[in-house]
């Protein structure tokens, strides 16, 4: 069978024709321009999905379903986007609107959850029954796969792993609550931590890497400084890795997945971050008398949204 | 069908004959005396199980299995107790030893997990697909039921909810790690918090309730003082409820169960604790745009271990 997966992002709508193994046969994209309101956005999604479906090669069993991965809080029972800050959508009847354009089954899931499903189907957790995928990007996203299926709770809003509290009464998070993991372990938080360290130590390599312009600090700057032997950069990276590790310790104690997949921009650091994360999280886990989860870097990259959305229909 | 459930505790071995609805037809108990080593303990468990099985009324389909709820880290694949501080057991081949005495299927699970299964089968979460049971006692235990089954991870050691970190670099926990929820939200922690408040405020009702003997403070003392209008007691209770609530906020954001069950000694406070816990945890949850989990007080009491262990075989 084949499946159409739609990755609805803040910038682009990407869609692809995907097979049972999670391989993309064709893909395409158009700008989202969510400020137009949801009706034209959904029409563009439907047009793109139809284009993908039309490319289905004869003899492959046809297209079974259309899956949508969307940012925000999703209600899959009603097929609506309850709230997406990113798209500016509130109670958008996504599946109902899409139904105007197609008779295929339509499924919808949260973007972080479908990314986890993509890693589980064809990526770093392929063939693994229980995996958790954590995305260290602008925010911290999480997706939990149990028995090969996304776990999303009774109301589809589970696995908001970035919003577990790791520091009661701590840093304010963009969600309006204090102490969330995301407020310490996102790329945004790392940039804030890097700028603070640079301001406190004007002689550090962080400052020279950005020619003194702290506005140019990105999520790579502290890693680059640390790798160049800079003490301030090293201290920022060490502290950041501890922040990430404390959430991973919680994921181990709570879920005990067989594999934990690390994705998002920060995961480009590869083993440089994976090795200490695994060491610290294992050492801090409740028990070390049993086999603990393996840590892996995400493999699906930008295709995670398309593949995971498609696999909602599998 | 009928099932034998064995609740292996630090003090007593309790066992019962249980039906499909989780009702106990007969029960009995003998002292554990774990210091004898595991062989005589398992023999006593097997004898008690045989006694229960012999009571199975004709026409009820006979006994299908024997389930064991044990403290500690369990490996259900090998049927062993990997480590139980409480019993002093390390790598005890519980199921293998039990096999010497019976041909019935034998199942084993962690005691907090089987308590959650009991609440899900016949207690506060009866008929609910997704529930989480939290036990506020000497420690903080957790059990997660998904789709009517206990979720225990790939190695049976999941749902150590008491050991999620809510305060990075915070209080030392009995597990040897810092900042665990248990170090703030257990009855043990509440007693410590109550004693500290009493020592800091000699005129408080906490002191008069224990006639100045802080060694007599228990998990009820601060609640009694608060109910009597004492400011120090009120402050202890308010702070304690916030500690419990922060972990419940995490359980909401992570699992989104339909029902969260609160058990253990502290749950005897009933609505006095349930109402503020529910209010604070809901207010602190990531999203309030959707239906959030309901909070309930555990109903199974001392029978939770027997019933939950029995239901492992269902």
């Amino acid at each position: 069978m084949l499946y159409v997966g739609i990755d609805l992002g803040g910038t682009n709508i990407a869609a692809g024709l995907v097979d049972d193994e999670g391989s993309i046969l064709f893909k395409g994209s158009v700008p989202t321009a969510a400020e137009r309101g949801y009706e034209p956005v959904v029409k563009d999604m439907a047009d793109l999905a139809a284009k993908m479906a039309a490319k289905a090669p004869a003899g492959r069993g046809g297209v079974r379903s259309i899956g949508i991965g969307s940012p925000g809080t999703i209600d899959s029972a009603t097929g609506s986007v309850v709230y997406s800050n990113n798209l500016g959508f509130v109670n958008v009847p996504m599946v109902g609107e899409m139904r105007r354009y197609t008779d295929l089954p339509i499924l919808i899931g949260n973007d972080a959850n479908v990314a986890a499903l993509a890693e589980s189907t064809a990526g770093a957790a392929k063939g693994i029954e229980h995996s958790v995928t954590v995305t260290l990007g602008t925010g911290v996203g999480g997706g939990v796969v149990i028995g090969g299926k996304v776990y999303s709770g009774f109301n589809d809003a589970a696995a908001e792993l970035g919003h577990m509290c790791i520091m009661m009464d701590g840093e304010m998070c963009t969600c309006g609550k204090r102490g969330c993991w995301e407020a310490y372990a996102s790329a945004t938080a790392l940039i804030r931590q890097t700028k603070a360290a640079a301001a406190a130590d004007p002689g550090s390599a962080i400052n020279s890497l950005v020619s003194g312009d702290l506005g140019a600090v990105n999520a790579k700057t502290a890693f680059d400084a640390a790798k160049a032997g800079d003490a301030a950069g090293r201290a920022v990276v060490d502290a950041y890795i501890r922040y990430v590790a404390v959430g991973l310790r919680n994921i181990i104690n709570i879920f005990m997945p067989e594999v934990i997949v690390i994705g998002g921009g920060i995961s480009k650091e590869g083993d440089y971050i994976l090795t200490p994360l695994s060491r610290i999280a294992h050492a801090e886990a409740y028990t070390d008398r049993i086999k603990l989860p393996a840590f892996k870097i995400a493999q699906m990259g930008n295709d995670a949204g398309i593949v995971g959305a498609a696999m909602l229909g599998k």
Side-chain angles (χ1 to χ4, degrees), chain A:
Chain A
M1 293 298 295
L2 298 169
Y3 311 82
V4 171
I6 302 174
D7 177 11
L8 174 58
T11 310
N12 289 305
I13 303 163
L17 184 67
V18 180
D19 69 13
D20 278 300
E21 276 69 51
S23 298
I24 298 179
L25 280 64
F26 299 96
K27 62 180 173 181
S29 74
V30 295
T32 308
E35 65 281 1
R36 296 178 291 166
Y38 74 88
E39 290 96 338
V41 170
V42 174
K43 181 166 191 319
D44 284 355
M45 290 165 62
D47 287 349
L48 199 56
K51 241 184 232 175
M52 293 301 124
K55 289 181 185 286
R60 292 292 299 264
V63 173
R64 187 172 181 172
S65 57
I66 297 174
I68 303 165
S70 167
T73 301
I74 310 300
D75 182 340
S76 68
T78 62
S80 57
V81 178
V82 178
Y83 177 69
S84 170
N85 178 45
N86 207 343
L87 299 170
F89 285 180
V90 178
N91 289 322
V92 164
M94 183 71 72
V95 170
E97 183 69 15
M98 191 85 175
R99 175 63 57 230
R100 293 175 56 190
Y101 304 103
T102 177
D103 291 326
L104 284 171
I106 306 167
L107 300 111
I108 186 166
N110 170 275
D111 54 359
N113 288 351
V114 305
L117 188 55
E119 294 295 339
S120 171
T121 305
K126 187 175 176 178
I128 301 295
E129 284 285 295
H130 295 180
S131 62
V132 173
T133 295
V134 171
T135 309
L136 305 173
T138 306
V140 174
V144 175
V145 174
I146 297 177
K149 298 277 176 194
V150 166
Y151 177 74
S152 56
F154 88 104
N155 61 3
D156 264 322
E160 286 292 354
L161 305 183
H163 299 282
M164 71 176 147
C165 178
I166 59 149
M167 192 83 85
M168 197 173 160
D169 300 325
E171 293 275 355
M172 180 60 79
C173 183
T174 53
C175 76
K177 311 293 156 52
R178 288 196 175 272
C180 294
W181 190 27
E182 175 166 310
Y184 295 86
S186 64
T188 313
L190 173 58
I191 291 169
R192 190 186 69 234
Q193 294 152 13
T194 307
K195 287 178 179 174
D201 182 358
S204 81
I206 299 170
N207 289 287
S208 47
L209 280 167
V210 295
S211 308
D213 173 17
L214 290 189
V217 166
N218 62 31
K220 216 169 152 284
T221 313
F223 283 100
D224 289 345
K227 288 171 189 170
D230 179 60
R234 183 73 258 161
V236 170
V237 167
D238 286 350
Y240 175 74
I241 286 174
R242 284 191 73 231
Y243 289 133
V244 178
V246 75
L248 297 176
R249 155 188 166 187
N250 285 358
I251 290 169
I252 292 174
N253 290 343
I254 292 166
F255 284 110
M256 278 292 177
E258 198 169 346
V259 170
I260 294 178
V261 179
I262 308 292
I266 302 284
S267 72
K268 290 179 188 153
E269 298 295 334
D271 285 343
Y272 189 81
I273 187 163
L274 204 64
T275 304
L277 277 180
S278 172
R279 181 176 49 76
I280 299 171
H282 281 186
E284 290 284 311
Y286 174 61
T287 178
D288 57 359
R289 292 171 189 268
I290 47 173
K291 194 175 174 220
L292 290 172
F295 281 65
K296 302 200 173 180
I297 294 289
Q299 296 175 357
M300 299 300 292
N302 292 334
D303 290 339
I306 292 173
V307 172
M311 292 298 100
L312 288 173
K314 196 179 164 186

